[in-house]
Amino acid sequence: MRSDGRRPDELRAITITPDFSKYAEGSVLIAAGETQVICTASVEEKVPPFLEGKGKGWVTAEYAMLPRATHTRSGRNPGGRGQEIQRLIGRALRAAVDTRLLGPRQITIDCDVIQADGGTRTAAITGGFVALALAARRLRASGKLTKDPIKQAVAAISAGIVDGEARVDLPYVEDSNAEVDCNFVMTEKGGFVEIQATAEKDSFSPEQYGQLVALAMGAMKTLLARQREAIERARP
């Protein structure tokens, strides 16, 4: 039995609230159980030096956990873990965009964890995509873009083996005791963008890995539906 009574294949309650920030071109508050992340998209009419003159855009991300997002206060420096996570978020969201259609501009997705209970990086990717899609929609509405640069939705979910059982969407109490810990980033077309899989104690079998993949693929249907609903509810 899971600590919160869920089935092994059952997600925590997922809510995505669009237009959470007044000023950002795109923003959401995503909640996955007790985990809450604010994702904002900021558009800049410039690109990194390595893209100057190439006519392409760029999508990047920053990730931070607020000092009291956890039981004890942490510093504001993202540290090595935070840098690794923000690189993951950037890679994931670039898979959603045709940077040629974005033009010579950069969209930065800031993901700020205000409360952490496991799955912060996957929530940041899932919510970050909605913020990105809203920013792209508003660039089109303003006439700065003629075509939609979003080519596919991207979402992410955790899965793992806890007490010998494959489970999806791990809260902290499960994640911290998992024998196997995985994060899956997938597209709406069913492709994988990135998989992070680690045996925390002993190795795991191909059969166990297959169970985790199946759980993640099942969860994606719900996540993608929540993303679509949030985009539809957002202001024009």
Side-chain angles (χ1 to χ4, degrees), residues 11 20 37 66 68 81 85 87 89 98 107 122 135-136 142-143 147 158 171-172 188 196 202 211 214 216 219 221 229:
L11 291 168
F20 188 77
V37 186
L66 297 190
R68 278 315 304 265
R81 176 181 179 274
I85 291 174
R87 287 194 291 267
I89 298 168
D98 185 335
I107 301 180
T122 54
S142 68
K147 295 182 179 179
S158 66
Y172 177 76
E188 64 180 316
Q196 298 178 330
D202 198 358
Q211 292 173 356
K221 298 177 183 179
E229 292 165 1

Side-chain angles (χ1 to χ4, degrees), residues 28-84:
V28 303
L29 170 65
I30 181 169
E34 296 298 320
T35 289
Q36 299 181 38
V37 186
I38 299 171
C39 304
T40 56
S42 300
V43 178
E44 297 177 282
E45 299 297 322
K46 62 178 183 179
V47 292
F50 68 88
L51 283 177
E52 289 180 357
K54 296 185 178 180
K56 294 181 179 181
W58 189 245
V59 175
T60 189
E62 294 193 10
Y63 168 97
M65 191 173 293
L66 297 190
R68 278 315 304 265
T70 59
H71 294 91
T72 58
R73 186 184 186 279
S74 59
R76 292 185 179 271
N77 188 325
R81 176 181 179 274
Q83 292 175 7
E84 180 267 323

